[in-house]
Amino acid sequence: VQLVESGGGLVQPGGSLRLSCTASGNIFRLIAMGWFRQAPGKQRELVATVNAGGAYQYGDSVKGRFTISKGDTKTTVYLQMNSLRPEDTAVYYCNARAYYTENRWGDTWGQGTQVTVSS
């Protein structure tokens, strides 16, 4: 499985950005896709995920500001980030959890995209 991420960049506080991630390759059945982030000196943390059944999960610090959505192909997810704050600065990683065969599943990570919120 390969993940292609796009979006990210530099934005002023209060601004917006949109990230996208598309999964391709040998996917038997997708379990969930989403975004995690890691700031310098901190552990990787949950931003938002959506599973195949349409259930959403958000990290506490982004609730009400970020929205995750699926694309038409179901193997693409978008992360709309509004009201960005300096503390949102981090490398954002796309994650896909999927079955590769009927019995074998695993996680794939994207290479990450930098989001910097600064004036």
Side-chain angles (χ1 to χ4, degrees), residues 1 14 26 28 33 43 54 57 91:
V1 177
N26 188 22
F28 179 75
M33 288 185 71
Q43 290 188 331
Q57 187 177 10
V91 178

Side-chain angles (χ1 to χ4, degrees), residues 52-107:
Y56 299 90
Q57 187 177 10
Y58 289 93
D60 288 341
S61 62
V62 306
K63 286 179 181 176
R65 300 187 298 124
F66 291 12
T67 303
I68 190 169
S69 60
K70 292 182 180 180
D72 291 340
T73 64
K74 303 294 188 289
T75 55
T76 295
V77 289
Y78 303 101
L79 183 69
Q80 179 65 43
M81 305 184 291
N82 298 328
S83 302
L84 282 160
R85 305 166 180 168
E87 53 264 39
D88 294 317
T89 296
V91 178
Y92 284 68
Y93 295 93
C94 181
N95 169 269
R97 177 165 290 181
Y99 278 91
Y100 307 126
T101 68
E102 189 172 347
N103 300 308
R104 186 171 65 90
W105 66 274
D107 284 310

